[in-house]
């Protein structure tokens, strides 16, 4: 199954990278851009066809390694 | 207890030799390297997780190193009360592994910052700082891109309330100002200790401040303090 995992910074956590990119866009003329935040997209393939099993596995991966719960939230999509 | 330091070497560690040099040649004590795949720490009295870029800092700093085989032993060692020092990348590994609270994020200015900074000893009643005076200023180098300490409000409050903040960034007068904060760390935090008082995480590099020929001897107190406790 094809899995897409989205890691985003929690609300309230400062994102200096996002701020720098937002400033760059503004200086390029896109002055109306606001609240730009940068996250990560992780793609993977997991063999098997049990939606439930894959979901459980991906959730475990996120909690153990892929996201740091102190500053990040995660979300995923399985096809 | 003995006086042997175990210096953990991850793929990408690059301050392991500095630590070894300081323990062995500056203090004349025993030190050994421990490859991250080893799982036996018997014979060591203090563990150092050195600075560097373990696993290329991929995913998040320290995130992958935390799952190295040796880390299970490091956790047990810490659990038994053994002294553990994480320096720079070592500090990042300690927060990822949950031995210390919070997380070290990308520097506020996005740049790698490599220079001498001033830090103030906030707590000298620890095995790592007993040889300093409270409020003493230490000139020690930092060298990192991800040293911006972050924790939620409750964690910060408990760090403050329990005296777990060991070093704070200050100006040369000892004032913890916003300008003196090199990376955006909350409350100017440069080093913290766990509740048990035996696990220290520090972004400044004490091992690079042990010889006047390279600019400072202010880091010596960390090694001297822990050696006395050992």
């Amino acid at each position: 199954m094809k899995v897409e995992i989205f890691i985003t910074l929690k609300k309230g956590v400062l994102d200096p990278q996002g701020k720098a990119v937002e400033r760059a866009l503004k200086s390029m003329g896109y002055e109306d851009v606001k609240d730009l935040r940068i996250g990560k997209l992780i793609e993977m393939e997991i063999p098997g066809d049990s939606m439930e099993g894959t979901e459980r596995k991906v959730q475990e991966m996120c909690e153990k390694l892929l996201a740091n719960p102190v500053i990040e939230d995660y979300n995923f999509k399985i096809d | 207890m003995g006086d042997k330091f175990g210096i953990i070497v991850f793929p990408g560690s690059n301050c392991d030799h500095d630590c070894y040099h300081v323990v062995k040649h500056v203090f004349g004590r025993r030190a050994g390297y421990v490859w991250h795949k080893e799982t036996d720490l018997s014979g060591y009295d203090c563990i150092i997780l050195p600075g560097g870029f373990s696993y290329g800092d991929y995913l998040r700093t320290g995130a992958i190193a935390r799952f190295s085989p040796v880390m299970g032993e490091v956790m047990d060692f810490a659990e038994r009360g053994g002294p553990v020092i994480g320096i720079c990348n070592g500090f990042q590994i300690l927060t990822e592994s949950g031995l210390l609270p919070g997380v070290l994020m990308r520097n506020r200015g996005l740049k790698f910052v490599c220079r001498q900074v001033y830090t103030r000893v906030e707590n000298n009643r620890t095995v790592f700082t007993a040889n300093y005076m409270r409020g003493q200023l230490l000139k020690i180098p930092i060298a990192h891109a991800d040293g911006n300490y972050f924790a939620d409000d409750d964690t910060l409050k408990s760090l403050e309330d329990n005296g777990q903040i060991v070093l704070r960034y200050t100006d040369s007068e000892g004032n913890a100002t916003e300008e003196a904060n090199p990376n955006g760390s909350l409350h100017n935090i440069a080093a913290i200790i766990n509740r048990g008082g035996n696990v220290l995480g520090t972004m400044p590099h004490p091992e690079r401040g042990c010889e006047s020929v390279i600019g400072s001897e202010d880091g010596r107190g960390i090694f001297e303090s822990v050696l006395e406790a050992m």
Side-chain angles (χ1 to χ4, degrees):
Chain A
M1 303 187 107
K2 190 174 165 353
V3 183
E4 286 184 331
I5 302 165
F6 307 92
I7 315 276
T8 50
L9 278 176
K10 279 193 165 146
K11 238 183 134 159
V13 174
L14 190 73
D15 177 12
Q17 211 183 158
K19 277 226 157 69
V21 172
E22 183 178 312
R23 270 199 306 274
L25 285 172
K26 283 191 166 131
S27 75
M28 289 159 68
Y30 304 101
E31 284 110 3
D32 48 353
V33 173
K34 57 177 194 178
D35 300 332
L36 190 151
R37 312 273 284 166
I38 295 182
K40 291 175 200 156
L41 164 64
I42 299 172
E43 296 175 324
M44 63 176 80
E45 193 70 49
I46 302 180
D49 50 13
S50 144
M51 183 58 113
E52 209 178 294
T54 308
E55 255 179 35
R56 207 172 42 238
K57 222 181 261 179
V58 172
Q59 189 159 349
E60 216 177 273
M61 289 178 194
C62 287
E63 277 164 18
K64 277 192 184 160
L65 174 67
L66 300 178
N68 181 330
V70 179
I71 47 167
E72 293 169 330
D73 289 323
Y74 64 86
N75 239 303
F76 54 85
K77 216 167 74 186
I78 303 174
D79 287 317
Chain B
M1 271 172 86
D3 66 347
K4 188 163 186 188
F5 286 77
I7 299 156
I8 312 284
V9 184
F10 298 96
S13 294
N14 66 8
C15 300
D16 40 345
H17 286 258
D18 307 45
C19 292
Y20 185 90
H21 164 71
V22 164
V23 171
K24 187 102 179 185
H25 305 123
V26 177
F27 291 100
R29 301 306 183 103
R30 297 184 301 150
Y33 293 116
V34 183
W35 181 235
H36 75 115
K37 291 213 164 142
E38 289 178 33
T39 50
D40 182 12
L41 293 177
S42 57
Y44 293 106
D45 308 294
C46 176
I47 296 299
I48 300 181
L49 303 182
F53 300 87
S54 57
Y55 295 90
D57 277 353
Y58 297 148
L59 192 64
R60 293 180 310 276
T61 57
I64 300 179
R66 173 241 183 290
F67 289 99
S68 273
V70 76
M71 282 309 291
E73 266 311 299
V74 172
M75 313 269 279
D76 289 349
F77 184 89
E79 192 96 333
R80 292 195 302 269
V84 176
I85 307 175
I87 303 168
C88 199
N89 189 222
F91 187 4
Q92 294 159 345
I93 297 168
L94 290 175
T95 57
E96 279 287 341
S97 66
L99 281 172
L100 290 173
V103 61
L104 294 142
M105 299 183 58
R106 180 53 49 93
N107 291 348
R108 179 178 50 190
L110 295 172
K111 290 204 172 77
F112 189 96
V113 182
C114 180
R115 60 178 163 87
Q116 300 266 18
V117 294
Y118 287 94
T119 61
R120 188 177 67 206
V121 178
E122 300 292 292
N123 183 352
N124 68 341
R125 294 188 313 272
T126 82
V127 291
F128 307 102
T129 54
N131 270 27
Y132 295 119
M133 310 227 277
R134 184 152 187 263
Q136 189 175 338
L137 286 192
L138 312 179
K139 194 172 99 182
I140 305 190
I142 54 166
H144 60 249
D146 300 83
N148 180 355
Y149 186 83
F150 178 88
D152 62 40
D153 292 343
D154 291 347
T155 307
L156 274 176
K157 186 172 184 307
S158 83
L159 286 173
E160 293 279 6
D161 292 350
N162 298 311
Q164 288 175 259
I165 298 167
V166 176
L167 298 175
R168 241 188 269 268
Y169 299 111
T170 67
D171 59 20
S172 58
E173 307 289 304
N175 304 305
T177 62
E178 215 26 61
E179 297 72 46
N181 186 338
N183 52 29
S185 289
L186 291 176
H187 296 204
N188 283 41
I189 287 172
I192 60 169
I193 197 165
N194 65 337
R195 280 298 286 274
N198 65 313
V199 179
L200 174 78
T202 169
M203 286 315 292
H205 284 265
E207 82 284 13
R208 295 188 192 173
C210 289
E211 293 162 286
S212 58
V213 69
I214 54 168
S216 170
E217 292 195 344
D218 291 355
R220 293 178 64 112
I222 303 256
F223 293 93
E224 286 163 355
S225 302
V226 75
L227 272 166
E228 270 174 35
M230 283 155 73

